Amino acid sequence: MQHFLIALYLCGIAALLSSCAGTGGVHPGVTAPPPGETVGPAPRPGQTVLSYTEEELQVLGNTFAYNVLKRLNDLRRDRNVQPLLRWHRHLEEAAVGHTQEMARNNHLNWVANDGTTVEDRAIAAGYPLGSQLLDGFIGVGYFSGPDFIDSMMRIYPIDNPFVAARFVHVGAARVGTRWTILLAFPSTNNKTMVFEWDDDVDSPVFQGSF
């Protein structure tokens, strides 16, 4: 299930005004990021690596992706959830395209005005997406990745995809205060993927593909 958040929902008008203070009504696409934080990765020419650990993102100097990935994996470590997530460029590309479209057309929806879905974007970017193996959150009203993630954990404490063992990759994007965070598990060339329920993490855990 894909999750949907508008900052006014449950947070209240006061929280929205506080989180957006100083924007002065400027279009979200030109809102400045926090000092020292880049908005989205900058892949190197000829780059072929598709997924990254926290340590690899830190070496690359990608503070945006690192901050998102580290907060998500810290939540998983706290709950003994495996595997830890890896940042994936194709999911990031899908998240960037979707967030830009939401900002450009001033809406907050999983489907773009032209009918394109985030699944469409992920597949077009090259991610080997299997049926029902993509989830995430969209939202508005947050400058910080960790703040957005923590808010989603408070609002959706049960069956939250951020701490679901069935996902292995993540990609995210922010335009102004609009966010898209996507989590996914790649398809395995039409093999049968086997999951077993783990009561310790209250989630299905991937056992292998056959």
Side-chain angles (χ1 to χ4, degrees), residues 40-63:
R44 277 59 173 173
Q47 187 179 35
T48 57
V49 177
L50 293 178
S51 68
Y52 302 88
T53 63
E54 296 164 53
E55 293 77 13
E56 290 166 341
L57 290 172
Q58 197 169 30
V59 170
L60 289 172
N62 188 337
T63 55

Side-chain angles (χ1 to χ4, degrees), residues 65-141:
Y66 171 78
N67 289 338
V68 170
L69 185 62
K70 184 177 188 304
R71 183 60 190 138
L72 290 172
N73 280 339
D74 282 348
L75 290 170
R76 294 166 82 92
R77 292 185 187 99
D78 290 345
R79 292 161 175 77
N80 296 315
V81 175
Q82 292 292 333
L84 296 180
L85 297 169
R86 294 176 64 94
W87 184 270
H88 200 285
R89 287 173 51 211
H90 291 160
L91 294 179
E92 175 216 343
E93 182 178 336
V96 167
H98 190 70
T99 312
Q100 289 175 338
E101 194 276 339
M102 289 194 299
R104 185 169 58 250
N105 293 295
N106 193 30
H107 71 83
L108 196 66
N109 199 304
W110 282 107
V111 181
N113 283 0
D114 65 358
T116 302
T117 67
V118 288
E119 289 90 348
D120 295 333
R121 294 183 189 278
I123 293 170
Y127 191 83
L129 184 63
S131 177
Q132 303 299 315
L133 293 176
L134 184 143
D135 205 338
F137 289 95
I138 55 176
V140 66

Side-chain angles (χ1 to χ4, degrees), residues 149-166:
I149 291 165
D150 289 348
S151 180
M152 297 303 93
M153 288 297 298
R154 288 191 298 270
I155 294 171
Y156 298 98
I158 306 299
D159 194 29
N160 192 302
F162 287 161
V163 290
R166 61 187 179 273

Side-chain angles (χ1 to χ4, degrees), residues 5 26 37 39 42 93 96 107 112 128 159 187 197:
L5 171 78
V26 176
E37 180 175 291
V39 182
E93 182 178 336
V96 167
H107 71 83
D159 194 29
S187 65
W197 190 266

